[in-house]
Short mmCIF file of all heavy atoms in Angstrom, two decimals:
data_model
loop_
_atom_site.label_atom_id
_atom_site.label_comp_id
_atom_site.label_asym_id
_atom_site.label_seq_id
_atom_site.Cartn_x
_atom_site.Cartn_y
_atom_site.Cartn_z
N MET A 1 70.25 26.71 103.91
CA MET A 1 71.61 27.08 104.24
C MET A 1 72.37 27.36 102.95
O MET A 1 72.25 26.63 101.99
CB MET A 1 72.25 25.94 105.02
CG MET A 1 73.58 26.29 105.60
SD MET A 1 73.35 27.41 106.97
CE MET A 1 74.67 26.93 107.99
N THR A 2 73.16 28.43 102.94
CA THR A 2 73.86 28.81 101.71
C THR A 2 75.30 28.33 101.68
O THR A 2 76.08 28.81 100.90
CB THR A 2 73.83 30.34 101.54
OG1 THR A 2 74.47 30.91 102.66
CG2 THR A 2 72.44 30.85 101.38
N THR A 3 75.67 27.40 102.53
CA THR A 3 77.02 26.86 102.48
C THR A 3 76.97 25.45 101.92
O THR A 3 76.07 24.68 102.19
CB THR A 3 77.66 26.83 103.88
OG1 THR A 3 76.84 26.06 104.74
CG2 THR A 3 77.81 28.22 104.45
N ALA A 4 77.94 25.13 101.10
CA ALA A 4 78.04 23.79 100.52
C ALA A 4 79.49 23.36 100.65
O ALA A 4 80.38 24.02 100.13
CB ALA A 4 77.61 23.81 99.06
N GLY A 5 79.74 22.29 101.35
CA GLY A 5 81.12 21.87 101.55
C GLY A 5 81.87 22.86 102.41
O GLY A 5 81.40 23.26 103.47
N ASN A 6 83.02 23.30 101.95
CA ASN A 6 83.82 24.27 102.69
C ASN A 6 83.57 25.71 102.26
O ASN A 6 84.22 26.62 102.74
CB ASN A 6 85.31 23.95 102.54
CG ASN A 6 85.67 22.66 103.24
OD1 ASN A 6 85.05 22.31 104.23
ND2 ASN A 6 86.66 21.96 102.71
N GLU A 7 82.64 25.93 101.34
CA GLU A 7 82.37 27.27 100.84
C GLU A 7 81.61 28.08 101.89
O GLU A 7 80.74 27.57 102.57
CB GLU A 7 81.55 27.20 99.55
CG GLU A 7 82.27 26.48 98.44
CD GLU A 7 81.36 26.19 97.27
OE1 GLU A 7 80.14 26.38 97.38
OE2 GLU A 7 81.88 25.77 96.24
N ARG A 8 81.97 29.34 102.01
CA ARG A 8 81.28 30.26 102.91
C ARG A 8 80.90 31.50 102.11
O ARG A 8 81.72 32.05 101.39
CB ARG A 8 82.18 30.65 104.08
CG ARG A 8 82.68 29.48 104.87
CD ARG A 8 81.57 28.92 105.72
NE ARG A 8 82.11 27.87 106.57
CZ ARG A 8 81.40 26.88 107.03
NH1 ARG A 8 80.13 26.81 106.77
NH2 ARG A 8 81.94 25.97 107.79
N TYR A 9 79.68 31.93 102.27
CA TYR A 9 79.19 33.06 101.49
C TYR A 9 78.97 34.28 102.39
O TYR A 9 78.55 34.15 103.53
CB TYR A 9 77.90 32.70 100.76
CG TYR A 9 78.13 31.63 99.74
CD1 TYR A 9 77.86 30.30 100.02
CD2 TYR A 9 78.65 31.96 98.49
CE1 TYR A 9 78.09 29.32 99.08
CE2 TYR A 9 78.89 30.98 97.55
CZ TYR A 9 78.60 29.66 97.85
OH TYR A 9 78.83 28.68 96.93
N TRP A 10 79.24 35.44 101.83
CA TRP A 10 79.09 36.72 102.53
C TRP A 10 78.12 37.61 101.77
O TRP A 10 78.02 37.54 100.56
CB TRP A 10 80.44 37.42 102.62
CG TRP A 10 81.37 36.82 103.64
CD1 TRP A 10 81.95 35.59 103.59
CD2 TRP A 10 81.78 37.42 104.86
NE1 TRP A 10 82.71 35.38 104.71
CE2 TRP A 10 82.63 36.50 105.50
CE3 TRP A 10 81.53 38.63 105.46
CZ2 TRP A 10 83.22 36.76 106.72
CZ3 TRP A 10 82.14 38.90 106.67
CH2 TRP A 10 82.96 37.97 107.29
N GLY A 11 77.44 38.46 102.52
CA GLY A 11 76.55 39.45 101.93
C GLY A 11 77.21 40.82 101.96
O GLY A 11 78.39 40.96 102.30
N ILE A 12 76.44 41.83 101.63
CA ILE A 12 76.94 43.21 101.65
C ILE A 12 75.81 44.14 102.07
O ILE A 12 74.65 43.89 101.76
CB ILE A 12 77.53 43.62 100.28
CG1 ILE A 12 78.25 44.96 100.38
CG2 ILE A 12 76.46 43.63 99.20
CD1 ILE A 12 79.13 45.28 99.22
N VAL A 13 76.17 45.17 102.81
CA VAL A 13 75.25 46.26 103.12
C VAL A 13 75.91 47.55 102.67
O VAL A 13 77.12 47.69 102.72
CB VAL A 13 74.89 46.32 104.63
CG1 VAL A 13 74.06 45.13 105.03
CG2 VAL A 13 76.12 46.42 105.50
N ALA A 14 75.12 48.48 102.20
CA ALA A 14 75.65 49.74 101.69
C ALA A 14 75.54 50.82 102.76
O ALA A 14 74.47 51.00 103.34
CB ALA A 14 74.88 50.17 100.45
N PRO A 15 76.62 51.54 103.02
CA PRO A 15 76.58 52.61 104.02
C PRO A 15 75.54 53.69 103.72
O PRO A 15 75.14 54.43 104.61
CB PRO A 15 78.00 53.19 103.98
CG PRO A 15 78.85 52.06 103.53
CD PRO A 15 77.99 51.30 102.55
N LEU A 16 75.09 53.79 102.49
CA LEU A 16 74.09 54.80 102.13
C LEU A 16 72.67 54.42 102.53
O LEU A 16 71.78 55.25 102.53
CB LEU A 16 74.12 55.07 100.62
CG LEU A 16 75.40 55.68 100.08
CD1 LEU A 16 75.32 55.83 98.57
CD2 LEU A 16 75.66 57.03 100.73
N MET A 17 72.46 53.15 102.87
CA MET A 17 71.12 52.69 103.26
C MET A 17 70.75 53.26 104.62
O MET A 17 71.62 53.46 105.47
CB MET A 17 71.10 51.16 103.32
CG MET A 17 71.35 50.47 101.99
SD MET A 17 71.76 48.69 102.13
CE MET A 17 70.36 48.04 103.00
N PRO A 18 69.46 53.50 104.89
CA PRO A 18 69.05 53.91 106.23
C PRO A 18 69.37 52.81 107.25
O PRO A 18 69.37 51.62 106.92
CB PRO A 18 67.53 54.10 106.11
CG PRO A 18 67.28 54.27 104.64
CD PRO A 18 68.35 53.48 103.95
N ALA A 19 69.65 53.19 108.49
CA ALA A 19 70.07 52.25 109.53
C ALA A 19 69.08 51.11 109.71
O ALA A 19 69.48 49.95 109.86
CB ALA A 19 70.29 52.99 110.85
N GLY A 20 67.80 51.39 109.70
CA GLY A 20 66.79 50.34 109.86
C GLY A 20 66.83 49.32 108.73
O GLY A 20 66.65 48.12 108.95
N MET A 21 67.08 49.79 107.52
CA MET A 21 67.16 48.91 106.36
C MET A 21 68.43 48.04 106.44
O MET A 21 68.39 46.85 106.10
CB MET A 21 67.17 49.72 105.07
CG MET A 21 67.04 48.89 103.81
SD MET A 21 67.02 49.90 102.30
CE MET A 21 65.42 50.68 102.47
N ILE A 22 69.52 48.63 106.92
CA ILE A 22 70.77 47.87 107.10
C ILE A 22 70.56 46.77 108.13
O ILE A 22 70.96 45.62 107.93
CB ILE A 22 71.93 48.79 107.51
CG1 ILE A 22 72.30 49.72 106.35
CG2 ILE A 22 73.15 47.98 107.95
CD1 ILE A 22 73.27 50.82 106.72
N ALA A 23 69.94 47.12 109.25
CA ALA A 23 69.68 46.14 110.31
C ALA A 23 68.81 45.00 109.81
O ALA A 23 69.08 43.83 110.09
CB ALA A 23 69.04 46.83 111.51
N GLU A 24 67.78 45.31 109.04
CA GLU A 24 66.89 44.28 108.51
C GLU A 24 67.62 43.41 107.49
O GLU A 24 67.46 42.19 107.47
CB GLU A 24 65.65 44.91 107.87
CG GLU A 24 64.63 43.91 107.38
CD GLU A 24 64.10 42.99 108.47
OE1 GLU A 24 63.99 43.41 109.64
OE2 GLU A 24 63.79 41.82 108.15
N ALA A 25 68.44 44.01 106.64
CA ALA A 25 69.20 43.24 105.65
C ALA A 25 70.17 42.29 106.34
O ALA A 25 70.30 41.12 105.95
CB ALA A 25 69.95 44.18 104.71
N ALA A 26 70.85 42.77 107.38
CA ALA A 26 71.79 41.92 108.13
C ALA A 26 71.06 40.76 108.81
O ALA A 26 71.53 39.63 108.80
CB ALA A 26 72.55 42.76 109.14
N LYS A 27 69.90 41.05 109.36
CA LYS A 27 69.10 40.00 110.01
C LYS A 27 68.69 38.94 109.00
O LYS A 27 68.78 37.74 109.27
CB LYS A 27 67.86 40.63 110.65
CG LYS A 27 66.97 39.66 111.38
CD LYS A 27 65.79 40.38 111.99
CE LYS A 27 64.82 39.42 112.63
NZ LYS A 27 63.65 40.10 113.15
N GLN A 28 68.27 39.35 107.82
CA GLN A 28 67.88 38.41 106.77
C GLN A 28 69.09 37.60 106.30
O GLN A 28 68.96 36.39 106.04
CB GLN A 28 67.24 39.15 105.60
CG GLN A 28 65.87 39.68 105.91
CD GLN A 28 65.29 40.49 104.76
OE1 GLN A 28 65.93 40.69 103.73
NE2 GLN A 28 64.07 40.97 104.94
N GLN A 29 70.25 38.24 106.20
CA GLN A 29 71.45 37.53 105.79
C GLN A 29 71.81 36.45 106.81
O GLN A 29 72.17 35.33 106.45
CB GLN A 29 72.61 38.50 105.59
CG GLN A 29 72.44 39.40 104.40
CD GLN A 29 73.50 40.47 104.30
OE1 GLN A 29 74.46 40.50 105.06
NE2 GLN A 29 73.33 41.38 103.36
N GLU A 30 71.70 36.79 108.09
CA GLU A 30 71.99 35.82 109.14
C GLU A 30 71.00 34.66 109.09
O GLU A 30 71.39 33.49 109.19
CB GLU A 30 71.96 36.50 110.50
CG GLU A 30 72.29 35.56 111.65
CD GLU A 30 72.35 36.28 112.97
OE1 GLU A 30 71.27 36.77 113.42
OE2 GLU A 30 73.44 36.37 113.54
N GLU A 31 69.71 34.96 108.94
CA GLU A 31 68.68 33.92 108.88
C GLU A 31 68.85 33.02 107.66
O GLU A 31 68.49 31.84 107.70
CB GLU A 31 67.30 34.56 108.89
CG GLU A 31 66.94 35.19 110.22
CD GLU A 31 65.65 36.00 110.18
OE1 GLU A 31 65.09 36.18 109.07
OE2 GLU A 31 65.22 36.46 111.25
N THR A 32 69.40 33.55 106.59
CA THR A 32 69.64 32.79 105.38
C THR A 32 70.81 31.83 105.55
O THR A 32 70.93 30.85 104.83
CB THR A 32 69.90 33.74 104.20
OG1 THR A 32 68.80 34.62 104.07
CG2 THR A 32 70.09 33.00 102.90
N GLY A 33 71.68 32.12 106.50
CA GLY A 33 72.83 31.26 106.74
C GLY A 33 74.14 31.80 106.24
O GLY A 33 75.13 31.07 106.19
N LEU A 34 74.17 33.07 105.84
CA LEU A 34 75.42 33.65 105.40
C LEU A 34 76.41 33.71 106.56
O LEU A 34 76.02 33.85 107.72
CB LEU A 34 75.22 35.05 104.83
CG LEU A 34 74.37 35.15 103.55
CD1 LEU A 34 74.22 36.60 103.13
CD2 LEU A 34 74.99 34.33 102.44
N LEU A 35 77.69 33.62 106.24
CA LEU A 35 78.73 33.66 107.25
C LEU A 35 78.91 35.09 107.80
O LEU A 35 79.10 35.29 108.98
CB LEU A 35 80.05 33.16 106.67
CG LEU A 35 81.25 33.13 107.61
CD1 LEU A 35 80.99 32.16 108.76
CD2 LEU A 35 82.49 32.72 106.86
N GLY A 36 78.84 36.08 106.90
CA GLY A 36 79.04 37.45 107.34
C GLY A 36 78.55 38.44 106.32
O GLY A 36 77.99 38.08 105.28
N THR A 37 78.79 39.73 106.59
CA THR A 37 78.41 40.79 105.68
C THR A 37 79.50 41.85 105.64
O THR A 37 80.18 42.10 106.63
CB THR A 37 77.05 41.41 106.06
OG1 THR A 37 76.61 42.23 104.97
CG2 THR A 37 77.10 42.23 107.32
N PHE A 38 79.69 42.46 104.48
CA PHE A 38 80.65 43.53 104.27
C PHE A 38 79.92 44.86 104.19
O PHE A 38 78.82 44.94 103.67
CB PHE A 38 81.38 43.36 102.93
CG PHE A 38 82.43 42.31 102.93
CD1 PHE A 38 82.19 41.09 102.33
CD2 PHE A 38 83.67 42.53 103.50
CE1 PHE A 38 83.16 40.10 102.31
CE2 PHE A 38 84.65 41.56 103.48
CZ PHE A 38 84.39 40.34 102.87
N ALA A 39 80.56 45.90 104.66
CA ALA A 39 80.11 47.27 104.42
C ALA A 39 81.32 47.99 103.81
O ALA A 39 82.21 48.42 104.52
CB ALA A 39 79.66 47.95 105.69
N ALA A 40 81.37 48.03 102.50
CA ALA A 40 82.52 48.59 101.79
C ALA A 40 82.57 50.11 101.93
O ALA A 40 81.54 50.78 101.92
CB ALA A 40 82.47 48.20 100.33
N GLN A 41 83.78 50.63 102.05
CA GLN A 41 83.97 52.08 102.15
C GLN A 41 84.13 52.62 100.74
O GLN A 41 85.22 52.90 100.28
CB GLN A 41 85.20 52.41 102.98
CG GLN A 41 85.40 53.90 103.18
CD GLN A 41 86.59 54.20 104.08
OE1 GLN A 41 87.11 53.35 104.76
NE2 GLN A 41 87.04 55.43 104.06
N VAL A 42 83.02 52.74 100.04
CA VAL A 42 83.02 53.27 98.69
C VAL A 42 82.26 54.60 98.67
O VAL A 42 82.73 55.57 98.11
CB VAL A 42 82.38 52.26 97.70
CG1 VAL A 42 82.32 52.85 96.32
CG2 VAL A 42 83.16 50.96 97.71
N TYR A 43 81.11 54.63 99.30
CA TYR A 43 80.28 55.83 99.32
C TYR A 43 80.26 56.51 100.68
O TYR A 43 79.58 57.50 100.86
CB TYR A 43 78.84 55.49 98.91
CG TYR A 43 78.77 54.89 97.53
CD1 TYR A 43 78.51 53.55 97.35
CD2 TYR A 43 79.00 55.67 96.41
CE1 TYR A 43 78.46 53.00 96.08
CE2 TYR A 43 78.95 55.14 95.14
CZ TYR A 43 78.68 53.80 94.98
OH TYR A 43 78.63 53.26 93.73
N GLY A 44 80.98 55.99 101.62
CA GLY A 44 81.02 56.58 102.96
C GLY A 44 81.66 55.62 103.93
O GLY A 44 81.93 54.46 103.60
N PRO A 45 81.93 56.08 105.14
CA PRO A 45 82.55 55.23 106.16
C PRO A 45 81.68 54.01 106.47
O PRO A 45 80.46 54.14 106.58
CB PRO A 45 82.66 56.14 107.38
CG PRO A 45 82.54 57.53 106.85
CD PRO A 45 81.69 57.44 105.62
N PRO A 46 82.29 52.83 106.61
CA PRO A 46 81.51 51.61 106.83
C PRO A 46 81.09 51.40 108.27
O PRO A 46 80.28 50.54 108.56
CB PRO A 46 82.47 50.51 106.38
CG PRO A 46 83.82 51.07 106.68
CD PRO A 46 83.70 52.54 106.42
N TRP A 47 81.62 52.16 109.21
CA TRP A 47 81.46 51.85 110.63
C TRP A 47 80.03 52.00 111.12
O TRP A 47 79.55 51.18 111.90
CB TRP A 47 82.42 52.69 111.46
CG TRP A 47 83.78 52.75 110.82
CD1 TRP A 47 84.44 53.88 110.41
CD2 TRP A 47 84.63 51.66 110.46
NE1 TRP A 47 85.64 53.53 109.83
CE2 TRP A 47 85.78 52.17 109.85
CE3 TRP A 47 84.51 50.27 110.57
CZ2 TRP A 47 86.82 51.37 109.37
CZ3 TRP A 47 85.55 49.47 110.10
CH2 TRP A 47 86.68 50.02 109.52
N THR A 48 79.31 52.99 110.68
CA THR A 48 77.92 53.17 111.10
C THR A 48 77.05 52.04 110.55
O THR A 48 76.18 51.52 111.25
CB THR A 48 77.38 54.53 110.63
OG1 THR A 48 78.24 55.56 111.13
CG2 THR A 48 75.97 54.77 111.12
N ALA A 49 77.31 51.65 109.31
CA ALA A 49 76.54 50.55 108.72
C ALA A 49 76.79 49.25 109.48
O ALA A 49 75.87 48.48 109.73
CB ALA A 49 76.92 50.39 107.24
N LEU A 50 78.04 49.00 109.86
CA LEU A 50 78.35 47.78 110.61
C LEU A 50 77.73 47.82 112.00
O LEU A 50 77.27 46.80 112.51
CB LEU A 50 79.86 47.58 110.68
CG LEU A 50 80.53 47.28 109.35
CD1 LEU A 50 82.05 47.24 109.51
CD2 LEU A 50 80.01 45.99 108.75
N ALA A 51 77.69 48.99 112.62
CA ALA A 51 77.05 49.12 113.93
C ALA A 51 75.55 48.82 113.81
O ALA A 51 74.98 48.14 114.67
CB ALA A 51 77.28 50.51 114.50
N ALA A 52 74.92 49.31 112.75
CA ALA A 52 73.49 49.03 112.55
C ALA A 52 73.26 47.54 112.32
O ALA A 52 72.30 46.96 112.84
CB ALA A 52 72.96 49.84 111.36
N ALA A 53 74.15 46.90 111.57
CA ALA A 53 74.03 45.46 111.32
C ALA A 53 74.19 44.67 112.61
O ALA A 53 73.54 43.65 112.82
CB ALA A 53 75.06 45.01 110.29
N ALA A 54 75.04 45.13 113.50
CA ALA A 54 75.31 44.42 114.75
C ALA A 54 74.12 44.47 115.71
O ALA A 54 74.03 43.63 116.61
CB ALA A 54 76.54 45.00 115.43
N THR A 55 73.21 45.40 115.52
CA THR A 55 72.09 45.54 116.46
C THR A 55 71.08 44.40 116.35
O THR A 55 70.34 44.17 117.30
CB THR A 55 71.34 46.87 116.25
OG1 THR A 55 70.77 46.89 114.94
CG2 THR A 55 72.26 48.06 116.46
N THR A 56 71.04 43.70 115.22
CA THR A 56 70.02 42.67 115.04
C THR A 56 70.59 41.27 114.79
O THR A 56 69.84 40.35 114.50
CB THR A 56 69.10 43.02 113.85
OG1 THR A 56 69.90 43.15 112.67
CG2 THR A 56 68.32 44.28 114.11
N THR A 57 71.91 41.13 114.87
CA THR A 57 72.52 39.83 114.59
C THR A 57 73.32 39.34 115.79
O THR A 57 73.76 40.13 116.62
CB THR A 57 73.46 39.91 113.37
OG1 THR A 57 74.52 40.82 113.65
CG2 THR A 57 72.71 40.38 112.13
N THR A 58 73.50 38.02 115.86
CA THR A 58 74.31 37.44 116.93
C THR A 58 75.42 36.56 116.40
O THR A 58 76.44 36.41 117.06
CB THR A 58 73.43 36.59 117.88
OG1 THR A 58 72.79 35.56 117.13
CG2 THR A 58 72.40 37.45 118.58
N ARG A 59 75.24 35.98 115.21
CA ARG A 59 76.25 35.08 114.65
C ARG A 59 76.93 35.65 113.41
O ARG A 59 77.97 35.17 113.00
CB ARG A 59 75.62 33.74 114.28
CG ARG A 59 75.07 32.97 115.45
CD ARG A 59 74.42 31.65 115.03
NE ARG A 59 73.54 31.74 113.87
CZ ARG A 59 72.26 32.11 113.91
NH1 ARG A 59 71.70 32.42 115.06
NH2 ARG A 59 71.53 32.15 112.82
N LEU A 60 76.35 36.63 112.77
CA LEU A 60 76.86 37.17 111.52
C LEU A 60 78.18 37.89 111.76
O LEU A 60 78.27 38.76 112.62
CB LEU A 60 75.84 38.14 110.93
CG LEU A 60 76.01 38.53 109.47
CD1 LEU A 60 75.73 37.34 108.56
CD2 LEU A 60 75.08 39.67 109.11
N GLN A 61 79.22 37.52 111.01
CA GLN A 61 80.50 38.21 111.11
C GLN A 61 80.43 39.50 110.30
O GLN A 61 79.80 39.54 109.25
CB GLN A 61 81.62 37.32 110.58
CG GLN A 61 81.84 36.07 111.40
CD GLN A 61 82.96 35.22 110.85
OE1 GLN A 61 83.86 35.69 110.18
NE2 GLN A 61 82.89 33.92 111.14
N LEU A 62 81.08 40.53 110.79
CA LEU A 62 81.03 41.84 110.14
C LEU A 62 82.43 42.22 109.68
O LEU A 62 83.41 42.00 110.38
CB LEU A 62 80.50 42.89 111.11
CG LEU A 62 79.15 42.58 111.75
CD1 LEU A 62 78.79 43.64 112.78
CD2 LEU A 62 78.06 42.48 110.69
N ALA A 63 82.51 42.82 108.49
CA ALA A 63 83.80 43.24 107.94
C ALA A 63 83.65 44.55 107.20
O ALA A 63 82.60 44.84 106.63
CB ALA A 63 84.34 42.17 106.99
N SER A 64 84.72 45.34 107.21
CA SER A 64 84.66 46.64 106.55
C SER A 64 84.90 46.53 105.05
O SER A 64 84.67 47.49 104.33
CB SER A 64 85.68 47.60 107.16
OG SER A 64 86.99 47.12 106.96
N GLY A 65 85.36 45.40 104.56
CA GLY A 65 85.58 45.25 103.12
C GLY A 65 86.74 46.09 102.66
O GLY A 65 87.79 45.57 102.37
N ILE A 66 86.58 47.39 102.61
CA ILE A 66 87.65 48.30 102.25
C ILE A 66 87.65 49.41 103.28
O ILE A 66 86.65 50.06 103.51
CB ILE A 66 87.41 48.94 100.86
CG1 ILE A 66 87.29 47.86 99.78
CG2 ILE A 66 88.50 49.92 100.53
CD1 ILE A 66 86.81 48.40 98.46
N ALA A 67 88.77 49.61 103.92
CA ALA A 67 88.92 50.73 104.84
C ALA A 67 90.17 51.48 104.42
O ALA A 67 91.27 50.94 104.45
CB ALA A 67 89.03 50.25 106.28
N GLN A 68 90.01 52.69 104.00
CA GLN A 68 91.13 53.48 103.51
C GLN A 68 91.85 54.12 104.69
O GLN A 68 91.46 55.17 105.19
CB GLN A 68 90.63 54.53 102.54
CG GLN A 68 89.94 53.90 101.34
CD GLN A 68 89.25 54.92 100.48
OE1 GLN A 68 89.21 56.10 100.79
NE2 GLN A 68 88.70 54.48 99.37
N ALA A 69 92.90 53.48 105.15
CA ALA A 69 93.63 53.92 106.33
C ALA A 69 94.23 55.31 106.15
O ALA A 69 94.22 56.12 107.07
CB ALA A 69 94.71 52.92 106.68
N LEU A 70 94.76 55.60 104.98
CA LEU A 70 95.43 56.89 104.78
C LEU A 70 94.47 58.07 104.84
O LEU A 70 94.84 59.15 105.25
CB LEU A 70 96.20 56.88 103.47
CG LEU A 70 97.38 55.90 103.43
CD1 LEU A 70 98.06 55.95 102.06
CD2 LEU A 70 98.37 56.19 104.53
N SER A 71 93.23 57.85 104.44
CA SER A 71 92.27 58.95 104.48
C SER A 71 91.85 59.28 105.91
O SER A 71 91.38 60.36 106.19
CB SER A 71 91.04 58.63 103.63
OG SER A 71 90.33 57.56 104.20
N ALA A 72 92.02 58.32 106.83
CA ALA A 72 91.64 58.54 108.22
C ALA A 72 92.83 58.92 109.10
O ALA A 72 92.66 59.27 110.25
CB ALA A 72 90.99 57.28 108.77
N ALA A 73 94.03 58.84 108.55
CA ALA A 73 95.23 59.14 109.33
C ALA A 73 95.32 60.64 109.61
O ALA A 73 94.97 61.46 108.74
CB ALA A 73 96.46 58.66 108.60
N PRO A 74 95.78 61.02 110.79
CA PRO A 74 95.92 62.46 111.08
C PRO A 74 97.01 63.06 110.20
O PRO A 74 98.00 62.41 109.87
CB PRO A 74 96.33 62.48 112.55
CG PRO A 74 96.85 61.13 112.86
CD PRO A 74 96.18 60.18 111.89
N SER A 75 96.80 64.29 109.83
CA SER A 75 97.80 64.96 108.98
C SER A 75 98.94 65.49 109.84
O SER A 75 98.75 65.84 111.01
CB SER A 75 97.16 66.09 108.20
OG SER A 75 96.62 67.03 109.10
N ARG A 76 100.12 65.51 109.27
CA ARG A 76 101.30 66.02 109.95
C ARG A 76 101.69 67.36 109.33
O ARG A 76 101.57 67.54 108.13
CB ARG A 76 102.47 65.06 109.82
CG ARG A 76 102.25 63.78 110.55
CD ARG A 76 103.53 62.99 110.54
NE ARG A 76 103.24 61.68 110.01
CZ ARG A 76 104.15 60.82 109.59
NH1 ARG A 76 105.40 61.15 109.62
NH2 ARG A 76 103.80 59.63 109.17
N PRO A 77 102.20 68.26 110.15
CA PRO A 77 102.66 69.53 109.57
C PRO A 77 103.87 69.29 108.69
O PRO A 77 104.65 68.37 108.92
CB PRO A 77 103.04 70.38 110.79
CG PRO A 77 102.98 69.48 111.98
CD PRO A 77 102.31 68.21 111.58
N PRO A 78 104.04 70.11 107.63
CA PRO A 78 105.17 69.93 106.71
C PRO A 78 106.52 70.16 107.36
O PRO A 78 106.74 70.68 108.34
CB PRO A 78 104.92 70.93 105.60
CG PRO A 78 103.84 71.83 106.05
CD PRO A 78 103.21 71.21 107.25
#
């Protein structure tokens, strides 16, 4: 178990990884005892990576880490 006292540890998955690799990494993180995993929006949208992680886990918490709201907001006419 990777928790000691009140400390909770999180892992990370990269959106650039193939879906199968993300799912396997998330499964290993859960089996190791990590609380959750992040998919940071640095190289691409985190949502597909988090969906792949959710396919093989039941207790692992998922987080987007960084989600750039303004880049996803609809544009308004001037």
Side-chain angles (χ1 to χ4, degrees):
M1 189 72 147
T2 60
T3 57
N6 292 330
E7 299 169 349
R8 303 286 186 206
Y9 295 98
W10 285 67
I12 190 165
V13 291
L16 295 177
M17 297 165 57
M21 189 179 290
I22 292 171
E24 184 59 32
K27 181 179 175 184
Q28 289 176 358
Q29 291 173 7
E30 182 176 66
E31 290 172 353
T32 303
L34 295 178
L35 181 63
T37 193
F38 284 103
Q41 184 177 345
V42 177
Y43 301 107
W47 318 121
T48 304
L50 293 174
T55 63
T56 58
T57 62
T58 58
R59 296 179 315 276
L60 196 69
Q61 295 180 25
L62 306 175
S64 63
I66 302 170
Q68 300 171 356
L70 294 178
S71 66
S75 60
R76 292 189 234 165

